[in-house]
Structure formats: C-alpha cells, structure tokens
Amino acid sequence: MCGIVGYVGNEEAVPVLIEGLRKLEYRGYDSAGVAVLGKPGLVVRKAKGALKNLEEKIKVETGGSTLTAGSLANSVLSGTMGIGHTRWATHGEPSDTNAHPQVDVSGKIAVVHNGIIENYARLRDWLIERGVQFTSETDTEIIANLISYHYKGDLLQAVLDAVGRLDGSWALVVISVDDPDRIIAVRKENPLVLGQGAGETLVGSDVPALLEYTREVYYLEDREIAVLYRDHVDFYNDEGKSIQKKTTHIEWDAAAAEKGGYEHFMLKEIHEQPKALTDTLRPRIITADAGGVNDTAGNKGAVTNNAKKISLEEIGFDASWAQANRVMITACGTAWHAGVIGKYAFEHFARIPVDVDTASEFRYRDPIFNPKDIFIIISQSGETADTLAAMRMAKKGGARIIAITNVVGSTLAREADLVMYTWAGPEIAVASTKAFTTQLMCINLIALQFGVLRGTIDPVHLNKYINALEAIPAQAEKILSGKENIQRFASLQFNKNKVFFMGRLFDYAASLESALKLKEICYTHSEAFAAGELKHGPIALVDTSTLVVAICTQTKLFDKMESSITQVKARGASIAVITWEDDAESGRFDRIADEKFRIPRTEDALSPILSVIPAQLFAYYCSVLRGLDPDKPRNLAKSVTVE
Ligand code: AGP
C-alpha cells in the first residue's frame, strides 16, 4: 500500500516523480503529492483522488498543457530533487491535508511514509507538549516533526534518532532544505528499492518506478539506511556504520514488476497475508508494562492479564459496548463469512447471543431492534450498497455500530460509531483473500475483548489466545511455503466440476469461504455444507465425479467428521482433508483421505484464519490451470456499490 518515489538528479524532478507514481498506481491510493527542493525552498503540492488531479493542479499552476521541463522551468516547482507519494489512508481520511508529503512546523523537512506508526498518539502528545501544532491527522506529520526536533545540523543523524523512537512499520523518504543535495531513505517492514541512472538516483517503494532508469536495483533491508546523491548511494546499518550492498538485475517486464514478480495480484495478496495479519494485530496488543493504557474495568478498552492486553482504545471502544444484550453482524459475501465466524467467536469467547445476516436479506426483513443491541458491520471496501443500507437501517433502529473495514474514509467508516481498520492494504484482485483473514483477526480481537469485559475470559485464557494470535502470521507463512503441494493437487483436480467443502462449527464457516473462492474464480459448482447436514439432503449429490474437501480442525468433533468423510467416500467421492499437523488425533484422517493438507496448530476457534489459506491457493491454481484470469473473474466487480 502507498507508493513512494524519490529523485535526485539533473532533470526537473516533478515529471519524474509523477511518472514514477503512475507506475505505482496499481498499489491502490486515495491521494497523491510531491515535494520539490527548488529555488524558493521546499514546495509541496497535494491532491485528493486520482494522480491526474495532482497533475492537473500542477499543469494549471505552471501554465503548461503537459508536464515538461519547459513548462516547469520558470515555476516555483522547478527543482532537480524531490519526493512523491500516493497515499492509501491509515491515520486520517483521504484529503489534501492528510496526503503526503508531510512537512515539519519549520516548513523545511518533508517526509513521505508507507506503514503504520503504532506509538503515534504518545509521540504526538509529546510533541504537542513541546509546542508543535499539527495540521493533519497523519502519523507521518509526527515523523517530520520528530526529525526536525532531533535535527542538529546532520539530517542523517536526525533521521536515525527519530526512527529510533518509532514503533511499528515504515518506509520513509526524507528531504530537507538545509541538506539540499541528498535524500535519506530508511525502512522497516515496508519495501524500498533504489536505482542509479546516469547522473541521477531514484528510490521507490517498488521496482516499476525505477525501470525506466535502470534494471540494476538495490533492495534496502530492514533498518538499513540509504543516502542518495546524484552520482551514488551510500548505505548504512541502523548503527550508522557504512555497509556495502550488491545490486540485483531485474528481468521482469513492467507489468510483472507491478505484481512484485507474482503472476497475479491474487497470488501476491495471498502471500501478503502474514504481513497484513501482523499489521492488523500488532497495534492492538500491548504488554502490561508498555504503559499508557488504563487497566481497570476496561474503561479505556484495555485489560490487564499480567502479560499482554488487547487495546482497542484507538477505536474508542469502552466497557459500555460490552454491556450489549445482543450482537448483530451484517455483511455481504466474503465479509459475511467473516461474520459467521464472528458469531461463533463471540458465543465462544463472550457468551453473548449473536445474530448474523447477509445485508441483502437483512435490509428487507422486519428485524427487531433492542436499545442495547450493537451492530458489527463488515466490509472490505466500506462501500457495498446492501451493507450500507443495513447499517443505516440499524442506526435508525437505535443500534450502535462498529465497522470493520479496510478503507479509511469509506462511507461505512464515516457513518459508523466506531471503526476498526483491517490494515490489509489495498486489495486489487476481485476475490478477497487478505481482507478476509484480517477481518477474522479483527472480529476475534473484539470478541475476546468482549469476553474480558464480560468476565467470560480469564487472564490465563486471554494470554493463551493472544499468544495464539501472535503466532498466526508465521504459521500462515509456513502454509504458504508449502504451496507447491497445493499446486500439484490442483493440477490433478482443476477440471472437477463438483467440489464440496464440509466441516463443523468454525470449519463449516471456513468451508463457506473456501467454496466461494472456487465459484468466483474457477466457475466451478462448489458448495459448502455443515457436515452434519449431509445426510439431510446434500449427500444425494455425491458421486464419483465429486471432490469433497473436509476441513477438520474442531478436535472435539473429529469422530463426527470421520463418519461424514466415510459416508461420502463410500459414494465414490475423492477426499481431501485440511487438518492439523503434529497432532496425534488428526492422524485418523490419513486412512480415509486421498490427499491431506496439514496446517500448523492453533486454537480451534482461530483455525479459519489458517485453514482458508490452502483453499485460497487451491482456487487460485485451479483458475490458472483452467486458463482463466483469477484477478478479474467474469460478471463480478470488486465493490458492489449498486443493488
Ligand atoms: C469476495 O471474494 C467477493 N469479491 C465478495 O463476496 C465481497 O466480499 C462482497 O461483495 C463484499 O464486499 P465488501 O467486503 O467490500 O463489502
């Protein structure tokens, strides 16, 4: 998410920056901006919306019909060094003010940033105490002012000092009026690449921004720092010691480079899940000694458990929410599947009645509202017409609304009472993957917090679940590292026209999402069944042409699953099982399954976050093997903004 470009050379910087940003548009964004070091000093121009809005703004100002060196030469935007950014909003909604670059109070230091600063609230208060007045809602403006605070004549040292105080993740590119010949770039958990052209040096958040200038790029590693000059780049480690780096030759063409070397956005987004899950979880978990959060009665949305706490303070969640008599969850498609899992999670962790509905049904029913109901509305885009209609209906009925969404400033985010962002980054493929698993992360956090506040989760269990949640990103990575196994299986099964997923409890909910993936991108007739329902009808469909994928992670129901699998196997179906690795109990499925996919052990209630990943990969590979485009399935739109 977000695109970064920096340029120092001999050409006018603005056209280079705009073209670089254009190459990064695929990453998704909601506003754009550039900062140039020119004759009058630092000049910043920003615009909400498409990159062309920024371009038009600059064209009007410089009097040119195109953005050329000629039209820029006599304008304040003339300069051969600058930084540019396409922003995907995190802190603060999309607007000209919140767009990057962000500038410090002196107007001398400009910063573009990709990532999330977790301790921004504390740093903001600290800077306000020292007289800093903020103009935006961004965490990035804090970074610009921290660098400014630490600046004692050496920009590199000031960046090092400021970065040393940040928690979270970042890719930062910094310029300063007082240091007019170099750009500083530093990263943690967000990519930055650098390239050297003839008399010019560039930095970008991805290779496409550099390809016009060079195919030899340097990948910056975590905590490394790059200092860009016109004719060379210096690299340092986080202690400020000089290091040598080797270039990598880029073979990909521009289109492949946009996808980070993956064949499709969907595969890229499937692989982004470990990082997305970390981004979703980490800002919401604090250790007891981290300070800054009250621990009594959950008044600040945080609860002590001797070791770790869930903190939902950031979203304004307080104990009053947990006094609800009933939770209602409404959403569409994949987000509704997250809601079904949410229902099970709430019942399990918080012992509170939950209704879950597809928004398209809910909005035309005659639902009964009670004053103490709360609504959780889930939507990746925050713009789905049915979902918004359901939210407005619930609001009218007097319910309080928590939104779980991926898009800052979306209609859902603006109209809900509380918003919990999934921080998954832009999801471009129509079939949702990382948005789904991060929605699950969010709903589990809310359910656990409800449990704590209602006294149904004790500190020991909370700690156990937090540890399990924290292990999930690495476990997801492990599943992804075994993707060839799933690819091989897909090569045997991709022509199947009848694929049923079945499971019980959380596995049934995971089956719903797994079946939808196959429908969406393979056009396969796939269905999900609660395994216990088979004998009430669906088993009549099963024959030798059927593939049944049994998701088996609910340990207490293994006997029941074994029996259901035996029944479909007896009707000639091929059987694949997704179950735990290193688990003596799950060994029983070896005997009856034609194929097994083992996933790392987590708590039974958290299993869908992991068990859906093999199903996502299976659908992806089947789609490719069928010669389809998994990113753009027929008849489907990414965001359904009309009924
Ligand atoms: C998911 O793969 C689908 N593209 C679709 O079901 C989607 O989840 C649904 O349209 C809801 O979208 P939203 O999350 O943006 O509201």
Side-chain angles (χ1 to χ4, degrees), residues 332-335 378-382 384 387 430-432 439 513 516-517 520 637-640:
C332 295
T334 286
I378 310 174
S379 171
Q380 187 283 131
S381 62
T384 301
T387 307
V430 167
S432 191
Q439 284 163 358
E513 175 60 7
L516 180 65
K517 291 289 88 93
E520 282 184 295
K638 181 67 184 160
S639 184
V640 187

PDB file of all heavy atoms in Angstrom, residues 332-335 378-382 384 387 430-432 439 513 516-517 520 637-640, ligand 1:
ATOM      1  N   CYS A 332     -21.776  -8.775   3.442  1.00  0.00           N
ATOM      2  CA  CYS A 332     -22.049  -9.499   2.193  1.00  0.00           C
ATOM      3  C   CYS A 332     -20.856 -10.363   1.801  1.00  0.00           C
ATOM      4  O   CYS A 332     -19.705  -9.990   2.056  1.00  0.00           O
ATOM      5  CB  CYS A 332     -22.279  -8.530   1.039  1.00  0.00           C
ATOM      6  SG  CYS A 332     -23.745  -7.528   1.227  1.00  0.00           S
ATOM      7  N   GLY A 333     -21.142 -11.456   1.116  1.00  0.00           N
ATOM      8  CA  GLY A 333     -20.095 -12.272   0.503  1.00  0.00           C
ATOM      9  C   GLY A 333     -19.060 -12.736   1.511  1.00  0.00           C
ATOM     10  O   GLY A 333     -19.374 -13.263   2.588  1.00  0.00           O
ATOM     11  N   THR A 334     -17.810 -12.534   1.133  1.00  0.00           N
ATOM     12  CA  THR A 334     -16.706 -12.947   1.996  1.00  0.00           C
ATOM     13  C   THR A 334     -16.803 -12.310   3.380  1.00  0.00           C
ATOM     14  O   THR A 334     -16.530 -12.952   4.401  1.00  0.00           O
ATOM     15  CB  THR A 334     -15.379 -12.561   1.312  1.00  0.00           C
ATOM     16  OG1 THR A 334     -15.161 -13.473   0.243  1.00  0.00           O
ATOM     17  CG2 THR A 334     -14.208 -12.616   2.260  1.00  0.00           C
ATOM     18  N   ALA A 335     -17.190 -11.041   3.409  1.00  0.00           N
ATOM     19  CA  ALA A 335     -17.283 -10.343   4.695  1.00  0.00           C
ATOM     20  C   ALA A 335     -18.370 -10.983   5.566  1.00  0.00           C
ATOM     21  O   ALA A 335     -18.242 -11.047   6.796  1.00  0.00           O
ATOM     22  CB  ALA A 335     -17.568  -8.865   4.465  1.00  0.00           C
ATOM     23  N   ILE A 378     -19.327  -5.503   8.539  1.00  0.00           N
ATOM     24  CA  ILE A 378     -18.013  -5.839   7.982  1.00  0.00           C
ATOM     25  C   ILE A 378     -18.032  -5.579   6.470  1.00  0.00           C
ATOM     26  O   ILE A 378     -18.948  -6.029   5.774  1.00  0.00           O
ATOM     27  CB  ILE A 378     -17.661  -7.326   8.243  1.00  0.00           C
ATOM     28  CG1 ILE A 378     -17.864  -7.664   9.732  1.00  0.00           C
ATOM     29  CG2 ILE A 378     -16.215  -7.622   7.829  1.00  0.00           C
ATOM     30  CD1 ILE A 378     -17.693  -9.137  10.067  1.00  0.00           C
ATOM     31  N   SER A 379     -17.032  -4.873   5.994  1.00  0.00           N
ATOM     32  CA  SER A 379     -16.933  -4.630   4.548  1.00  0.00           C
ATOM     33  C   SER A 379     -15.515  -4.227   4.186  1.00  0.00           C
ATOM     34  O   SER A 379     -14.997  -3.255   4.731  1.00  0.00           O
ATOM     35  CB  SER A 379     -17.907  -3.519   4.139  1.00  0.00           C
ATOM     36  OG  SER A 379     -17.682  -3.132   2.814  1.00  0.00           O
ATOM     37  N   GLN A 380     -14.907  -4.965   3.286  1.00  0.00           N
ATOM     38  CA  GLN A 380     -13.569  -4.599   2.822  1.00  0.00           C
ATOM     39  C   GLN A 380     -13.588  -3.177   2.287  1.00  0.00           C
ATOM     40  O   GLN A 380     -12.806  -2.338   2.705  1.00  0.00           O
ATOM     41  CB  GLN A 380     -13.121  -5.579   1.729  1.00  0.00           C
ATOM     42  CG  GLN A 380     -11.675  -5.439   1.245  1.00  0.00           C
ATOM     43  CD  GLN A 380     -11.405  -4.282   0.311  1.00  0.00           C
ATOM     44  OE1 GLN A 380     -10.463  -3.518   0.509  1.00  0.00           O
ATOM     45  NE2 GLN A 380     -12.231  -4.100  -0.695  1.00  0.00           N
ATOM     46  N   SER A 381     -14.486  -2.923   1.343  1.00  0.00           N
ATOM     47  CA  SER A 381     -14.489  -1.624   0.653  1.00  0.00           C
ATOM     48  C   SER A 381     -15.127  -0.530   1.480  1.00  0.00           C
ATOM     49  O   SER A 381     -14.819   0.643   1.306  1.00  0.00           O
ATOM     50  CB  SER A 381     -15.262  -1.757  -0.660  1.00  0.00           C
ATOM     51  OG  SER A 381     -16.610  -2.121  -0.380  1.00  0.00           O
ATOM     52  N   GLY A 382     -16.057  -0.906   2.332  1.00  0.00           N
ATOM     53  CA  GLY A 382     -16.821   0.109   3.072  1.00  0.00           C
ATOM     54  C   GLY A 382     -17.819   0.829   2.185  1.00  0.00           C
ATOM     55  O   GLY A 382     -18.375   1.863   2.562  1.00  0.00           O
ATOM     56  N   THR A 384     -20.158  -1.158  -0.025  1.00  0.00           N
ATOM     57  CA  THR A 384     -21.132  -2.102  -0.573  1.00  0.00           C
ATOM     58  C   THR A 384     -22.553  -1.618  -0.275  1.00  0.00           C
ATOM     59  O   THR A 384     -22.901  -1.354   0.880  1.00  0.00           O
ATOM     60  CB  THR A 384     -20.897  -3.500   0.022  1.00  0.00           C
ATOM     61  OG1 THR A 384     -19.557  -3.870  -0.306  1.00  0.00           O
ATOM     62  CG2 THR A 384     -21.862  -4.524  -0.514  1.00  0.00           C
ATOM     63  N   THR A 387     -24.734  -3.441   2.295  1.00  0.00           N
ATOM     64  CA  THR A 387     -24.145  -3.343   3.637  1.00  0.00           C
ATOM     65  C   THR A 387     -24.411  -1.961   4.236  1.00  0.00           C
ATOM     66  O   THR A 387     -24.767  -1.829   5.411  1.00  0.00           O
ATOM     67  CB  THR A 387     -22.630  -3.635   3.564  1.00  0.00           C
ATOM     68  OG1 THR A 387     -22.457  -4.889   2.902  1.00  0.00           O
ATOM     69  CG2 THR A 387     -21.997  -3.672   4.930  1.00  0.00           C
ATOM     70  N   VAL A 430     -10.278  -9.279  -7.453  1.00  0.00           N
ATOM     71  CA  VAL A 430     -11.702  -9.266  -7.086  1.00  0.00           C
ATOM     72  C   VAL A 430     -11.978 -10.255  -5.950  1.00  0.00           C
ATOM     73  O   VAL A 430     -12.723  -9.964  -5.016  1.00  0.00           O
ATOM     74  CB  VAL A 430     -12.568  -9.577  -8.335  1.00  0.00           C
ATOM     75  CG1 VAL A 430     -14.001  -9.894  -7.939  1.00  0.00           C
ATOM     76  CG2 VAL A 430     -12.547  -8.384  -9.291  1.00  0.00           C
ATOM     77  N   ALA A 431     -11.359 -11.417  -6.013  1.00  0.00           N
ATOM     78  CA  ALA A 431     -11.592 -12.415  -4.961  1.00  0.00           C
ATOM     79  C   ALA A 431     -10.811 -12.015  -3.706  1.00  0.00           C
ATOM     80  O   ALA A 431      -9.601 -11.867  -3.720  1.00  0.00           O
ATOM     81  CB  ALA A 431     -11.147 -13.786  -5.446  1.00  0.00           C
ATOM     82  N   SER A 432     -11.554 -11.853  -2.656  1.00  0.00           N
ATOM     83  CA  SER A 432     -10.944 -11.367  -1.410  1.00  0.00           C
ATOM     84  C   SER A 432     -10.119 -12.460  -0.726  1.00  0.00           C
ATOM     85  O   SER A 432     -10.541 -13.611  -0.641  1.00  0.00           O
ATOM     86  CB  SER A 432     -12.082 -10.931  -0.487  1.00  0.00           C
ATOM     87  OG  SER A 432     -11.569 -10.238   0.593  1.00  0.00           O
ATOM     88  N   GLN A 439     -10.029  -9.494   8.494  1.00  0.00           N
ATOM     89  CA  GLN A 439     -11.344  -9.302   9.134  1.00  0.00           C
ATOM     90  C   GLN A 439     -11.501 -10.292  10.290  1.00  0.00           C
ATOM     91  O   GLN A 439     -12.019  -9.955  11.365  1.00  0.00           O
ATOM     92  CB  GLN A 439     -12.474  -9.520   8.119  1.00  0.00           C
ATOM     93  CG  GLN A 439     -12.670  -8.365   7.148  1.00  0.00           C
ATOM     94  CD  GLN A 439     -13.478  -8.743   5.914  1.00  0.00           C
ATOM     95  OE1 GLN A 439     -13.890  -9.894   5.740  1.00  0.00           O
ATOM     96  NE2 GLN A 439     -13.703  -7.773   5.040  1.00  0.00           N
ATOM     97  N   GLU A 513     -16.352 -19.883   2.891  1.00  0.00           N
ATOM     98  CA  GLU A 513     -15.424 -19.001   2.181  1.00  0.00           C
ATOM     99  C   GLU A 513     -14.614 -19.781   1.132  1.00  0.00           C
ATOM    100  O   GLU A 513     -14.378 -19.290   0.026  1.00  0.00           O
ATOM    101  CB  GLU A 513     -14.492 -18.308   3.190  1.00  0.00           C
ATOM    102  CG  GLU A 513     -13.405 -17.450   2.596  1.00  0.00           C
ATOM    103  CD  GLU A 513     -13.893 -16.292   1.726  1.00  0.00           C
ATOM    104  OE1 GLU A 513     -15.103 -16.051   1.661  1.00  0.00           O
ATOM    105  OE2 GLU A 513     -13.041 -15.661   1.072  1.00  0.00           O
ATOM    106  N   LEU A 516     -16.725 -20.350  -1.913  1.00  0.00           N
ATOM    107  CA  LEU A 516     -16.939 -19.115  -2.675  1.00  0.00           C
ATOM    108  C   LEU A 516     -15.729 -18.798  -3.563  1.00  0.00           C
ATOM    109  O   LEU A 516     -15.875 -18.356  -4.703  1.00  0.00           O
ATOM    110  CB  LEU A 516     -17.220 -17.936  -1.729  1.00  0.00           C
ATOM    111  CG  LEU A 516     -17.463 -16.590  -2.425  1.00  0.00           C
ATOM    112  CD1 LEU A 516     -18.754 -16.619  -3.265  1.00  0.00           C
ATOM    113  CD2 LEU A 516     -17.534 -15.436  -1.433  1.00  0.00           C
ATOM    114  N   LYS A 517     -14.532 -19.034  -3.045  1.00  0.00           N
ATOM    115  CA  LYS A 517     -13.334 -18.742  -3.840  1.00  0.00           C
ATOM    116  C   LYS A 517     -13.355 -19.528  -5.141  1.00  0.00           C
ATOM    117  O   LYS A 517     -13.063 -18.999  -6.200  1.00  0.00           O
ATOM    118  CB  LYS A 517     -12.036 -19.081  -3.063  1.00  0.00           C
ATOM    119  CG  LYS A 517     -11.720 -18.198  -1.887  1.00  0.00           C
ATOM    120  CD  LYS A 517     -11.297 -16.793  -2.248  1.00  0.00           C
ATOM    121  CE  LYS A 517     -12.424 -15.847  -2.401  1.00  0.00           C
ATOM    122  NZ  LYS A 517     -12.931 -15.037  -1.408  1.00  0.00           N
ATOM    123  N   GLU A 520     -16.016 -18.186  -7.541  1.00  0.00           N
ATOM    124  CA  GLU A 520     -15.701 -16.878  -8.119  1.00  0.00           C
ATOM    125  C   GLU A 520     -14.682 -16.958  -9.248  1.00  0.00           C
ATOM    126  O   GLU A 520     -14.853 -16.318 -10.274  1.00  0.00           O
ATOM    127  CB  GLU A 520     -15.103 -15.961  -7.037  1.00  0.00           C
ATOM    128  CG  GLU A 520     -16.100 -15.367  -6.092  1.00  0.00           C
ATOM    129  CD  GLU A 520     -15.416 -14.397  -5.140  1.00  0.00           C
ATOM    130  OE1 GLU A 520     -14.582 -14.845  -4.326  1.00  0.00           O
ATOM    131  OE2 GLU A 520     -15.711 -13.213  -5.193  1.00  0.00           O
ATOM    132  N   ALA A 637     -17.663  -7.558  -9.815  1.00  0.00           N
ATOM    133  CA  ALA A 637     -16.954  -6.294  -9.575  1.00  0.00           C
ATOM    134  C   ALA A 637     -16.317  -6.367  -8.197  1.00  0.00           C
ATOM    135  O   ALA A 637     -16.797  -7.083  -7.320  1.00  0.00           O
ATOM    136  CB  ALA A 637     -17.929  -5.138  -9.624  1.00  0.00           C
ATOM    137  N   LYS A 638     -15.252  -5.628  -8.013  1.00  0.00           N
ATOM    138  CA  LYS A 638     -14.589  -5.638  -6.709  1.00  0.00           C
ATOM    139  C   LYS A 638     -15.498  -5.051  -5.637  1.00  0.00           C
ATOM    140  O   LYS A 638     -15.558  -5.547  -4.525  1.00  0.00           O
ATOM    141  CB  LYS A 638     -13.275  -4.838  -6.801  1.00  0.00           C
ATOM    142  CG  LYS A 638     -12.471  -4.796  -5.498  1.00  0.00           C
ATOM    143  CD  LYS A 638     -11.937  -6.163  -5.134  1.00  0.00           C
ATOM    144  CE  LYS A 638     -11.216  -6.205  -3.813  1.00  0.00           C
ATOM    145  NZ  LYS A 638     -11.134  -7.578  -3.263  1.00  0.00           N
ATOM    146  N   SER A 639     -16.167  -3.987  -5.983  1.00  0.00           N
ATOM    147  CA  SER A 639     -17.007  -3.350  -4.978  1.00  0.00           C
ATOM    148  C   SER A 639     -18.409  -3.193  -5.552  1.00  0.00           C
ATOM    149  O   SER A 639     -18.575  -2.590  -6.618  1.00  0.00           O
ATOM    150  CB  SER A 639     -16.394  -1.993  -4.630  1.00  0.00           C
ATOM    151  OG  SER A 639     -17.130  -1.405  -3.617  1.00  0.00           O
ATOM    152  N   VAL A 640     -19.412  -3.753  -4.867  1.00  0.00           N
ATOM    153  CA  VAL A 640     -20.771  -3.767  -5.408  1.00  0.00           C
ATOM    154  C   VAL A 640     -21.525  -2.575  -4.814  1.00  0.00           C
ATOM    155  O   VAL A 640     -22.179  -2.684  -3.786  1.00  0.00           O
ATOM    156  CB  VAL A 640     -21.472  -5.108  -5.106  1.00  0.00           C
ATOM    157  CG1 VAL A 640     -22.820  -5.181  -5.815  1.00  0.00           C
ATOM    158  CG2 VAL A 640     -20.593  -6.276  -5.559  1.00  0.00           C
TER     159      VAL A 640
HETATM  160  C1  AGP B   1     -15.134 -11.732  -2.168  1.00  0.00           C
HETATM  161  O1  AGP B   1     -14.207 -12.572  -2.774  1.00  0.00           O
HETATM  162  C2  AGP B   1     -16.109 -11.152  -3.083  1.00  0.00           C
HETATM  163  N1  AGP B   1     -15.474 -10.377  -4.076  1.00  0.00           N
HETATM  164  C3  AGP B   1     -17.361 -10.541  -2.490  1.00  0.00           C
HETATM  165  O2  AGP B   1     -18.104 -11.570  -1.943  1.00  0.00           O
HETATM  166  C4  AGP B   1     -17.197  -9.432  -1.430  1.00  0.00           C
HETATM  167  O3  AGP B   1     -16.681  -9.977  -0.255  1.00  0.00           O
HETATM  168  C5  AGP B   1     -18.542  -8.763  -1.169  1.00  0.00           C
HETATM  169  O4  AGP B   1     -19.005  -8.165  -2.352  1.00  0.00           O
HETATM  170  C6  AGP B   1     -18.485  -7.743  -0.064  1.00  0.00           C
HETATM  171  O5  AGP B   1     -17.609  -6.709  -0.362  1.00  0.00           O
HETATM  172  P1  AGP B   1     -17.127  -5.723   0.759  1.00  0.00           P
HETATM  173  O6  AGP B   1     -16.353  -6.507   1.747  1.00  0.00           O
HETATM  174  O7  AGP B   1     -16.302  -4.699   0.039  1.00  0.00           O
HETATM  175  O8  AGP B   1     -18.353  -5.127   1.378  1.00  0.00           O
END
